Amino acid sequence: MKKAYELLIFDWDGTLADSVGRIVESMNAAAVRAGEAQSSDDAIKGIIGLALDEAIHTLYPHLEPVQVESFRQHYADIYTALDQQPSPLFEGVSESLDAFRAEGYRLAVATGKARRGLDRVLKANGWQAFFDITRAADETRGKPHPLMLEEILGHCGVEPQRALMVGDSAFDLQMASNAGMHSVAVGYGAMSLQALAEFGPQVCIEHFSQLREWLAGAAIPLPR
């Protein structure tokens, strides 16, 4: 039987890797270094997925471009120091991705991380050549602009209706919609399933392994 989708595209932070807490910690530590007030956990979770400069500007709209750049460097230094031991993958991710490859799916990553950070975590997991293509926010347009997905689709030669975006933030789901693609919302990352359901995902999952079950035809309950 022909699969509904050919290409599966994944966000990284909060979708594949359990890194949301580390992002919150790094952002608030960077705020202290920059002489700014710390933000709430929820506010920081609300910008995860954006390119870093845009995320900082969203949290601190009064900062001038030079101040944003200084803040960005503080964040990068702090996060890199904390990430010497990369954030662990969520339960079921490694096994499921291996299974997807064995089942003939093409796999890609579309992330708000910078290329340097993405390459570091790919290497840590032995995945330098695992995905068909990976795209980072500092080498294309940031989410929710669809260019990142359009570049992945073009590289893989796949039509939007044959691809699926999997993510934990509104920006992931909006990006998919802007690219004419379907999406899956995961509820264990930055945003709740109740919030993500408003953006029209095909399904909402609470555990990564449920993605494989759903693709195989299992019914997944909607969030309440």
Side-chain angles (χ1 to χ4, degrees):
M1 184 175 68
K2 185 178 181 181
K3 296 190 289 288
Y5 302 100
E6 178 182 351
L7 171 63
L8 307 179
I9 307 172
F10 300 95
D11 170 57
W12 188 273
D13 293 310
T15 299
L16 298 182
D18 187 4
S19 49
V20 171
R22 188 168 290 179
I23 292 171
V24 171
E25 180 182 356
S26 299
M27 191 64 74
N28 274 329
V32 171
R33 286 194 186 179
E36 300 292 333
Q38 294 185 334
S39 298
S40 68
D41 288 5
D42 285 344
I44 297 172
K45 289 177 181 179
I47 54 81
I48 293 176
L50 293 175
L52 184 53
D53 286 1
E54 186 175 354
I56 294 167
H57 179 73
T58 300
L59 290 173
Y60 301 96
H62 61 280
L63 294 182
E64 297 294 332
V66 66
Q67 294 172 299
V68 170
E69 172 57 25
S70 177
F71 196 118
R72 186 200 66 77
Q73 191 58 57
H74 289 319
Y75 175 89
D77 292 344
I78 293 165
Y79 190 90
T80 299
L82 291 175
D83 212 44
Q84 292 303 308
Q85 179 63 41
S87 299
L89 301 175
F90 285 106
E91 182 181 358
V93 166
S94 184
E95 301 88 342
S96 295
L97 292 182
D98 284 339
F100 291 143
R101 284 285 297 269
E103 292 161 8
Y105 287 101
R106 304 185 71 178
L107 306 178
V109 169
T111 179
K113 297 178 83 65
R115 170 53 63 182
R116 183 176 67 174
L118 178 59
D119 284 346
R120 185 176 67 250
V121 294
L122 289 173
K123 181 178 181 180
N125 287 285
W127 281 352
Q128 297 98 316
F130 185 84
F131 297 95
D132 289 80
I133 181 176
T134 61
R135 299 298 287 160
D138 60 346
E139 60 192 11
T140 182
R141 294 287 297 273
K143 303 173 184 180
H145 193 282
L147 182 60
M148 189 182 299
L149 293 182
E150 291 167 352
E151 291 171 344
I152 291 171
L153 293 170
H155 174 86
C156 294
V158 174
E159 294 298 318
Q161 62 271 20
R162 296 280 291 146
L164 187 68
M165 177 69 206
V166 183
D168 70 313
S169 78
F171 309 115
D172 296 320
L173 308 193
Q174 290 173 318
M175 178 175 65
S177 178
N178 291 340
M181 287 173 48
H182 287 162
S183 63
V184 169
V186 304
Y188 50 77
M191 295 184 66
S192 70
L193 288 184
Q194 288 75 14
L196 293 173
E198 299 179 10
F199 297 93
Q202 295 300 103
V203 69
C204 299
I205 61 175
E206 289 279 16
H207 189 281
F208 194 84
S209 63
Q210 288 182 300
L211 176 61
R212 191 178 177 200
E213 297 169 12
W214 177 73
L215 288 170
I220 305 294
L222 293 173
R224 288 184 280 178

